[in-house]
Amino acid sequence: MKVLYYPGCTLKTSAKNFEDSAVASLKVLGVDLVELERWNCCGTVYSLASDDLMHKVAPIRNLIRVKEQSNGDDRVVTLCSMCYNTLKQANEFFKEDEESRDKINNFMDREIDYNGDVEVLHLLTLLKEEIGFDNIGKKVKNKLSNLKVASYYGCLLLRPQNSAIDNAENPTILEDLFTSLGIDTVDFPYKNECCGSYNTVNAVDLVVERTYKIINSARSFGANIIATSCPLCQFNLDRRQKDVKDKYYDFEEMPVVYFTQIMGRAFNVKRKSLGFDLNYIDPVPLLQENF
Amino acid sequence: MAELVDKISELSGQNLDACYQCGKCSGGCPSVAQMDMLPNQVIRLLQIGLPELALQCNTIWICASCYMCTVRCPRGIDLSKIMEALRQVNLRENLDYMKIKEIKEEDIFILPQIALVANFRKQTA
Amino acid sequence: MQDFEPNVVVFCCRWCSYAAADLAGTSRMTANPQFVVIRTMCSGRIDPEFILDAFAKGADGVLVTGCHPGDCHYVNGNYKTRRRMLLLEEVLEQFGIDRKRLRCEWISASEGGKFVKTIDEFIGTIKKLGPIDGIK
Amino acid sequence: MGKPKFAFYWCASCGGCEEAVIDLNEKILDLTAAVDIVFWPVALDFKYADVRSMGKGEIDVSFINGAIRSSEQREMAELLSKKSKTVIAFGSCAHLGGIPGLANFWRRKDIFERVYESVPTVKNPEHILPKMESKVDGYKLNLPEFYDTVSALDQVIPVDYYLPGCPPAPELITDAIDAILKNKLPKKGSVLAPDKALCDTCPLADSKPDKLSIKEIKRPHEIKLDPEKCFLAQGVICLGPVTRSGCGECCINANMPCRGCMGPTKAAIDQGAKGISFIASILGVEDEENTSDEDVRDLIKQIVDPAGTFYRFSLPYSLLKRKR
Amino acid sequence: MKQRIGVFVCHCGINIASTVQIERVVEAIKEYPGVVHAEDYEYMCSDPGQGMIRARIKEKNLTGVVVAACSPTLHELTFRNVTALSGLNPYRCEMANIREHCSWIHKDVDKATKKAIKIIKTIVEKVKLNEELTPLSVPITKRALVIGGGIAGIQSALDIANAGYQVILVEKSSSIGGHMAQLSETFPTLDCSQCILTPKMVEVAQHKNIKLYNYAEIDDVSGYVGNFKVKIRLKASYVDWSKCVGCGLCIEKCPTKVASEFEQGLAPRKAIYVPFPQAVPNKPVIDREHCRYFKTGKCRVCEKVCDLDAIKFDEEDDFVEEEVGAIVVATGYEVYGVQNIGEYGAGRYKDVVDGLQFERLLSASGPTNGEIRRPSDGQIPRRVAFVSCVGSRDPELHKPYCSKVCCMYLAKHAMLYKHRVPDGQPIIFYIDIRSDGKGYEEFVQRAQEEDHVTYIRGKVSKIYEDNGELVLLSADTLAGMPIELRCDLVVLGMAICPSSGVDELTKKLKIQTDANGFLTEAHPKLRPVESLTPGIFIAGCAHAPKDIPDTVAQASAASSKVLEMFGQKELSHDPMVAWVDEDLCSGCGVCISLCPYDARELEIKEGKRIATVKEILCEGCGSCIAGCPAGACQQRNLDDKQVIRMVETVLSRG
């Protein structure tokens, strides 16, 4: 199966390991991620002001690229939660607000008219609904019995309602994936709470507090590793642990990885593709050293 | 100040009077500890016609649009949009909240693009 | 077309949609005024003849409203209406009358808002379609 | 007073109505004995000029069959109207528009386009279409105007009585002539046939179930029709309930359902609308609460060409009269 | 007949007059063909207004009256009575609705005025063709059916029975008593719920005029006001109650335990059981779903221990039919499920309970004998949080309405908890305190002042379990501070919803429900205990959330409505029924298949099939009329001609 794929900026740089591990794991599942040609920035955060149509141009332009390249299979898969959310919300807005849609279409007069008919998918939805977790389970080569994974969803996979991939309060899609991979999971109350997001740029202390709380909560419920699907969550929960440690002397670190890295490891994908060197807290010891 | 409140209501597309001040937004806000005013109080200020006070609090900048309040609000108010509207009113006056110089030097090289772009989009004019 | 003020006939069942229209009034909602309600005991009273007659006499649209499926005050009158209107729609299409000019909607006594929304939407649709041709 | 003067004229129709007069068999001799036929182009050599030269009201009764489709027919109808004391719309086409009236589902240009250009057996590279005026070898030739819309007779001239049927049954014709001769015609505007619908006299009426319900709609050629059983009960659309009786039930007796040629009953305004209403009323949708609009539509789609079915004989006479 | 119609235009104070230019309307209508008089007045429904109509009918010799005012639903009867007083047939009077359908729903004065004129003309056209009618009279069966054996049904049944009429009481569970039987003590008097309820339950069981069908459901309802036929399903109990003396041995020996509904899942019951010790009647039933014999084919212990041979495994559902003249629907409520509240754990946490579960923890006959012990480990909770408005007042995600009783019972819960655990700390999270009953506000004040219940104004945003405690994330909106509270037990004041199954029942009864599934009353103020269907009345929480005093009051009100009906000799039936022009009917029989009431029949008259109308059965829906292929069937005062004239008037320009 081939499916169009929108990477976004961070997956080409500091979250290269997310992209690489996803591409390699999906190959095992017979899925070929075809990168969208001429993609541009998704807009990073969805613009919420009602008169701000300008910032909807970027995500919509990407969806127009999808239309052009799709050969009829009008859908696009994203990995990064933020890209997913921005593209999805822009698309939902386009479906509903006819007037603004006309305005934006008129503004982009060199582009084909777009009416919101591309389906924006997150990789997890594709795995669940098209590949099937049962089939994913069949590809497992490594039993990762050391892991007690706490799934961290953050915000943008679950909210707002029109772009949620799972129940906003009690999501289970990541846990279901890990269970199908034969990995133990732990439930913890902070799995759907914000990590502090972009405040990490100028309000580091806020993020430090969030990270401290989230990691400690996961640990108190028995986790030894955290899995996520957002490069910003990953950065805040992983890299900011250094700052947490500076503030709280008794804090114990915990590795934070992309769910695709765990999946890749379970499929016994080559270590190079999993890019653990980009993770700040080294997860390799937990993921069984010898590979 | 009624005009300013109207503008915020229009920019956010939300009916501010629908809020019955239950405080569920504030109770669940992950970042509430860092805020100098509870989210429901921000709305209260708008309801009673004191938008200029709402524009001055740090709450509107701390809010990172995680939508927790949005999905829980019993009255269906999208607080994320109200916070955005308040930010926009400030930003359109060219008042940046984020000062680039304040980024820690050690962070400049490690911060992911996504953090920087998102932050600039939300907190700079 | 700006000035086109459609002439719309609305048939209401006295138990549900007529009461919904009352409720819309009681709740001081606002609806487009280009319609008049004709009250029947049940949507099942509405003879396709009435609708064709309305179109023949220049109605730009006809809205038939009744109780929600399963909620008919007369057990199953609305199902008969549904069958009649769906067949009538096919015939209208053959007569070159856009099937959107006939709309069937289930509105309960509690749905004042839905009544207004339906009216406004329907009149909006009719405005887009323009006036129905007179009989030559 | 001399013998009453009768005229017969043929507008847009198949000619069956003329045959129906001939079908009076030996009674036609009584007719010719009782009346003077002053105009009957199909049987006797009269010219239009003969009619034009008559005085106002000189004809006692004109029997006009056929719908009005051309300017010539209109002209003749108007002429006869002027010259006659009484006008009888004779047969379905004059009464309701009839089969020719089905042309009202198209426009004149579509009909010409179809007949003179797109029919597979036609070759017309120069796109020659009928014109009202043309020149051949220097001579000007005129054709009547082919109207965009077919009309029933009373939409063109005042009509005093209607003799329905395709063609009218001999009994109805003789009854009508009797009434004329005995001066016992009912009040003007009447249809000279019974007021009740066909079910009243239908030979299959006894076989009708207590509650009619059609679960699957069939066309007559799709099943072997049981000649002893109500056609509706067999799932075949029969327009008997919406159609005036008096036809002699010939179709039913020939094992075919009623198609509606006698037109609507007295209290019904639009035969097609009544047809729609009653067929939809007896559609047997099971478990209707859990049936979606789409499912109902699927059942309804089994009715092939519903407008044509319900307005087979009465389109110009119907409320909407023609396609927009 | 030459029509002389009088049109009376009401200002309704400013309700009509502020949007519709009355003078213009009167001028326009005066000129309309058939209208001989048009006049306006501020309040047409007032005494002087009515007097004016009466006077004009006589003065002007009117043959028809159109009152252009509010909705006919409100005042049609009023003005028809006025018309009748002047000697004109009341069915020659119609209302033109220019308030709800015009002045209230439109803002543009010019357009509203034009529309009002059009509406009035439309109704004038209708009146022109209205016949003089006389209501039909219908006999009454003077027995009542009460559906639901909670406090509302019990009260209603007793009132009617005490007045000397027979009552059929149908209860779906095996005992009457309803939710009230589960309650510990009741606000604001703190009297014991069972002490006040059980005597009434016994009275029902022993009343000579009450026939109780417990463990039974309504299977089908047909007929009409005064003459309903009700088919009742008696569910198989697998116990022959005529033999059983209620010794309880079978229950004791039954090996199967399942969660007790009466104890809200906090204690087990057996597969053969009576729901609670004071049940009326006190006879057991076998829960087929859980019974070991029904599941595996082996066991039959109950049968073996029963000396009276009362166990009947082969019993099947039975049906009885009853004829009644009136029906009271008192089907009560159920509690909105905690599983619907994702942010409070969606039912995963044992120590997050709902209000009814806490009632059982408080109840002296409950699973803890009235000691407050939390379900997870049986510990006495030292700090208990009570959360109000859970699922209520939440139009976005749950129920938009206020459930009315939660404020009061949570105050009671907190108070009773404090009485049982004096060093415990009760905390109530609330948004607003609603205590608008007699003695209610005083009760809440007592909870605060004397029992020191802490009230925190703020809605809890999230609850999660951590290390054996529950963590509540909330805010104190008065202090302006976020709160993270750890406690041992959480009691949720869940929304109250209509009982499940009411949907099906309302379809059988042909009565309406509102958007939330509560039964709709005929008029919110003036006819609050009647449904829109004549002869069917409503009582208790099936209508809306209410407390015990309100429920009992409404139940008695419903009974008095039933008694009002039973006090009459016969009922009158709307004469706007179908009729047949026999000269046109061909006997095709299409109408027969269309009538939902079997009011249409084919008869042979003079050798011809003719479709006839049984007028008493005809409800006037008109679907046979629309379906009549020949136009032979018409409706009195709404025939085809009238509708077509009305449509024409609506469509006339200008």
Side-chain angles (χ1 to χ4, degrees), chain A residues 20-38:
Chain A
D20 289 349
S21 58
V23 169
S25 312
L26 285 171
K27 213 155 249 154
V28 175
L29 294 168
V31 180
D32 201 356
L33 290 180
V34 181
E35 185 170 324
L36 193 62
E37 290 163 22
R38 295 175 59 212

Side-chain angles (χ1 to χ4, degrees), chain E residues 545-564:
Chain E
K546 38 176 81 73
D547 56 26
I548 297 168
D550 282 2
T551 296
V552 171
Q554 198 191 16
S556 289
S559 312
S560 84
K561 280 289 170 192
V562 171
L563 297 175
E564 178 198 23

Side-chain angles (χ1 to χ4, degrees), chain E residues 360-587:
Chain E
R360 296 314 300 155
L361 293 179
L362 287 169
S363 170
S365 63
T368 56
N369 298 321
E371 276 186 48
I372 310 293
R373 294 185 176 276
R374 65 181 201 169
S376 64
D377 55 9
Q379 294 298 308
I380 293 173
R382 294 296 147 193
R383 186 190 276 163
V384 181
F386 299 87
V387 184
S388 52
C389 297
V390 185
S392 305
R393 304 178 70 198
D394 189 335
E396 190 60 20
L397 300 166
H398 306 289
K399 308 289 174 188
Y401 51 85
C402 165
S403 290
K404 203 168 179 209
V405 289
C406 331
C407 283
M408 292 309 298
Y409 79 64
L410 288 180
K412 176 196 75 178
H413 282 172
M415 197 186 259
L416 293 177
Y417 163 67
K418 189 73 181 169
H419 295 174
R420 311 276 159 89
V421 185
D423 60 341
Q425 194 185 358
I427 300 169
I428 295 184
F429 287 89
Y430 74 102
I431 312 177
D432 302 291
I433 303 173
R434 296 181 172 176
S435 53
D436 61 344
K438 187 174 177 181
Y440 289 12
E441 177 57 25
E442 297 88 323
F443 183 77
V444 172
Q445 286 173 19
R446 220 169 85 207
Q448 293 170 335
E449 288 169 16
E450 291 175 23
D451 294 304
H452 304 289
V453 176
T454 308
Y455 271 78
I456 295 180
R457 192 189 176 284
K459 186 154 180 157
V460 174
S461 191
K462 178 168 179 152
I463 300 172
Y464 63 89
E465 208 169 63
D466 186 31
N467 212 4
E469 287 180 316
L470 293 158
V471 183
L472 277 71
L473 299 182
S474 184
D476 185 324
T477 59
L478 300 180
M481 277 161 56
I483 289 180
E484 191 173 315
L485 180 83
R486 300 181 87 85
C487 58
D488 306 311
L489 180 68
V490 177
V491 181
L492 303 180
M494 298 300 303
I496 277 180
C497 313
S499 298
S500 56
V502 155
D503 249 15
E504 275 171 53
L505 181 67
T506 54
K507 276 173 194 164
K508 288 171 188 159
L509 292 167
K510 292 159 211 139
I511 57 175
Q512 323 284 309
T513 53
D514 65 19
N516 302 308
F518 289 109
L519 305 181
T520 308
E521 65 277 27
H523 188 281
K525 298 188 184 67
L526 303 178
R527 296 170 66 195
V529 302
E530 293 160 74
S531 76
L532 271 167
T533 304
I536 301 185
F537 305 92
I538 51 192
C541 286
H543 167 246
K546 38 176 81 73
D547 56 26
I548 297 168
D550 282 2
T551 296
V552 171
Q554 198 191 16
S556 289
S559 312
S560 84
K561 280 289 170 192
V562 171
L563 297 175
E564 178 198 23
M565 221 178 98
F566 287 178
Q568 297 172 44
K569 275 211 181 80
E570 49 191 13
L571 298 170
S572 74
H573 180 75
D574 198 330
M576 281 181 59
V577 293
W579 66 279
V580 176
D581 182 341
E582 297 189 356
D583 289 342
L584 295 178
C585 176
S586 72

Side-chain angles (χ1 to χ4, degrees), chain A residues 70-115:
Chain A
S70 66
N71 292 327
D73 180 23
D74 289 339
R75 52 184 191 163
V76 63
V77 165
T78 59
L79 304 185
C80 166
S81 303
M82 282 183 92
C83 296
Y84 162 75
N85 190 276
T86 309
L87 293 177
K88 177 84 176 177
Q89 283 210 62
N91 201 35
E92 293 300 312
F93 172 79
F94 236 58
K95 276 187 212 168
E96 278 159 27
D97 190 334
E98 219 171 297
E99 200 185 321
S100 302
R101 182 205 305 162
D102 290 347
K103 267 191 200 153
I104 296 176
N105 274 328
N106 284 337
F107 174 76
M108 295 192 287
D109 53 359
R110 301 259 177 99
E111 302 280 9
I112 53 169
D113 275 2
Y114 177 66
N115 60 15

Side-chain angles (χ1 to χ4, degrees), chain C residues 73-136:
Chain C
H73 185 80
Y74 300 104
V75 188
N76 51 18
N78 49 359
Y79 292 128
K80 294 163 209 162
T81 313
R82 173 167 76 170
R83 283 186 249 139
R84 289 169 186 153
M85 296 308 138
L86 287 175
L87 177 53
L88 183 60
E89 258 181 29
E90 301 296 323
V91 173
L92 285 179
E93 197 89 323
Q94 287 184 282
F95 271 103
I97 292 178
D98 197 310
R99 66 171 74 210
K100 288 201 280 294
R101 289 189 188 274
L102 170 62
R103 180 161 164 189
C104 208
E105 197 66 54
W106 311 128
I107 304 174
S108 78
S110 61
E111 295 175 322
K114 185 176 179 187
F115 182 83
V116 167
K117 190 168 159 262
T118 305
I119 287 286
D120 286 352
E121 246 177 48
F122 184 61
I123 294 179
T125 308
I126 299 298
K127 275 192 169 168
K128 273 190 197 151
L129 290 172
I132 196 163
D133 291 337
I135 299 288
K136 286 176 187 100

Side-chain angles (χ1 to χ4, degrees), chain D residues 196 200 206 208 241 265 269 277, chain E residues 585 588 608-609 626 630 644:
Chain D
K196 291 201 180 194
D200 185 46
D206 285 338
K208 194 167 38 189
T265 53
I269 301 161
S277 190
Chain E
C585 176
C588 71
K608 294 281 188 190
R609 276 182 196 75
I644 281 175

Side-chain angles (χ1 to χ4, degrees), chain A residues 175-230:
Chain A
E175 283 88 341
D176 294 345
L177 171 65
F178 293 128
T179 306
S180 76
L181 294 171
I183 297 169
D184 288 344
T185 62
V186 294
D187 193 14
F188 74 120
Y190 285 90
K191 67 181 180 179
N192 61 343
E193 295 215 352
C194 180
C195 65
S197 189
Y198 54 76
N199 281 317
T200 197
V201 175
N202 57 340
V204 178
D205 200 46
L206 185 157
V207 174
V208 165
E209 287 302 317
R210 296 303 301 159
T211 301
Y212 179 67
K213 211 159 191 174
I214 292 164
I215 305 250
N216 273 351
S217 170
R219 185 182 308 285
S220 77
F221 281 84
N224 58 10
I225 188 167
I226 289 181
T228 183
S229 119
C230 173

